[in-house]
Amino acid sequence: VWLVGAGPGDPELLTLKAVRAIRAATVLLVDDLVGDAVLRYARRSARIVHVGKRGGCRSTPQAFIEQLMLREALAGARVVRLKGGDPFIFGRGGEEAASLRAHGVHVEVVNGITAGLAAATSIGAPLTHRDHAHGVMLVTGHAKDEATTLDWGVLGAAAAQGLTLVIYMGVSQAARLQAGLLDALPASTPLAIVQHASTARQRSALTTLGGLMDTLAREDLGSPAVLIVGDVLRGLAQ
Ligand code: SAH
């Protein structure tokens, strides 16, 4: 099974290796954030199974996806599991690889450009500009359960040390993460919201940490979006 990163949406951001794997696949299991344009590289005879939340359906249970991949692989299919962005940045790629390997299936992982990096580039933000940042943190706003919920105050303190914060799945938790980050960062800290990065539907807004909730409402921005917080956004055109 190939776990393949489909990138953030723009098919030109696919790697050559991803295209080669998609072309070779006889079965493709496709996440909902994977753009249709990427599927044009699939063989006409390939079986394409959408396992996302498309059309408002509930997302396919993870166990079902893992069983389906396993069954197809053991039956001799060339299986490509196409995931948005990079397969190992959020999105459960690690769980899927572990489950397949536990059943003796060989897994190849093909990197994709992760949404956070594409979002930053699309608005011209150099995430580690050395005048402003020593590094970058990729974090999820959506914890697996309460016990693993992030301490946003601690993350804010790290950001105040010069680490740019890139938050995936943060829109639904925006009020909470804003409150926590404000414990350590000034309300004037620049913040960007980038929705549908790298696609024709891309929209973005440049605001401040203090203005996050107002901007989300006013600009009607929602998932899928990445939030970027830090001084590397200073000087960007609105
Ligand atoms: N593996 C993916 C992330 C999966 S988690 C990757 O590497 O990009 C899903 C989250 O990713 C979304 O809730 C959103 O925060 C982000 N995301 C995915 N595609 C996006 C896009 N085109 N624009 C903005 N955010 C995106």
Side-chain angles (χ1 to χ4, degrees), residues 77-109:
R78 284 196 297 274
V79 182
V80 161
R81 172 76 173 108
L82 256 186
K83 301 181 74 73
D86 185 89
F88 276 0
I89 298 293
F90 307 120
R92 302 186 178 188
E95 291 168 44
E96 294 179 11
S99 148
L100 289 161
R101 285 177 180 142
H103 288 90
V105 174
H106 180 73
V107 180
E108 294 270 349
V109 183

Side-chain angles (χ1 to χ4, degrees), residues 5 7-10 31-34 53 83-93 112-119 138-142 167-171 194-199 202-203 222-227:
D10 179 353
D31 267 356
D32 57 353
L33 284 178
V34 174
K53 295 175 204 156
K83 301 181 74 73
D86 185 89
F88 276 0
I89 298 293
F90 307 120
R92 302 186 178 188
I113 293 181
T114 189
L117 300 188
L138 305 184
V139 301
T140 172
H142 184 90
I167 307 168
Y168 293 62
M169 295 169 274
V171 175
V194 188
Q195 183 180 22
H196 292 299
S198 91
T199 74
Q202 174 170 331
R203 291 172 60 225
S223 185
V226 164
L227 310 180

Side-chain angles (χ1 to χ4, degrees), residues 14-234:
L14 278 171
T15 64
L16 295 174
K17 206 166 188 172
V19 170
R20 188 160 61 80
I22 294 167
R23 279 197 176 125
T26 56
V27 175
L28 292 111
L29 280 81
V30 184
D31 267 356
D32 57 353
L33 284 178
V34 174
D36 284 337
V38 168
L39 296 176
R40 76 166 74 116
Y41 296 105
R43 297 164 184 234
R44 217 174 282 168
S45 58
R47 196 170 134 224
I48 296 177
V49 186
H50 288 279
V51 292
K53 295 175 204 156
R54 230 171 243 208
C57 301
R58 272 170 25 97
S59 70
T60 315
Q62 190 64 22
F64 176 84
I65 297 173
E66 290 175 15
Q67 278 162 21
L68 183 58
M69 282 195 295
L70 186 63
R71 202 173 64 216
E72 293 292 342
L74 294 177
R78 284 196 297 274
V79 182
V80 161
R81 172 76 173 108
L82 256 186
K83 301 181 74 73
D86 185 89
F88 276 0
I89 298 293
F90 307 120
R92 302 186 178 188
E95 291 168 44
E96 294 179 11
S99 148
L100 289 161
R101 285 177 180 142
H103 288 90
V105 174
H106 180 73
V107 180
E108 294 270 349
V109 183
V110 179
N111 282 124
I113 293 181
T114 189
L117 300 188
T121 303
S122 72
I123 58 166
L127 288 176
T128 60
H129 192 302
R130 68 177 185 157
D131 288 348
H132 303 295
H134 306 293
V136 55
M137 303 182 276
L138 305 184
V139 301
T140 172
H142 184 90
K144 193 171 164 190
D145 49 51
E146 268 307 303
T148 54
T149 295
L150 285 168
D151 183 331
W152 291 102
V154 171
L155 280 174
Q161 295 286 308
L163 293 177
T164 306
L165 195 49
V166 177
I167 307 168
Y168 293 62
M169 295 169 274
V171 175
S172 66
Q173 297 294 315
R176 187 176 186 169
L177 66 88
Q178 179 194 41
L181 292 175
L182 281 170
D183 285 345
L185 293 169
S188 60
T189 306
L191 183 149
I193 307 156
V194 188
Q195 183 180 22
H196 292 299
S198 91
T199 74
R201 293 198 285 165
Q202 174 170 331
R203 291 172 60 225
S204 64
L206 205 52
T207 178
T208 59
L209 181 56
L212 170 60
M213 297 312 292
D214 286 348
T215 306
L216 279 174
R218 192 181 59 240
E219 305 286 330
D220 192 25
L221 288 161
S223 185
V226 164
L227 310 180
I228 301 171
V229 185
D231 285 338
V232 296
L233 299 168
R234 286 198 190 282

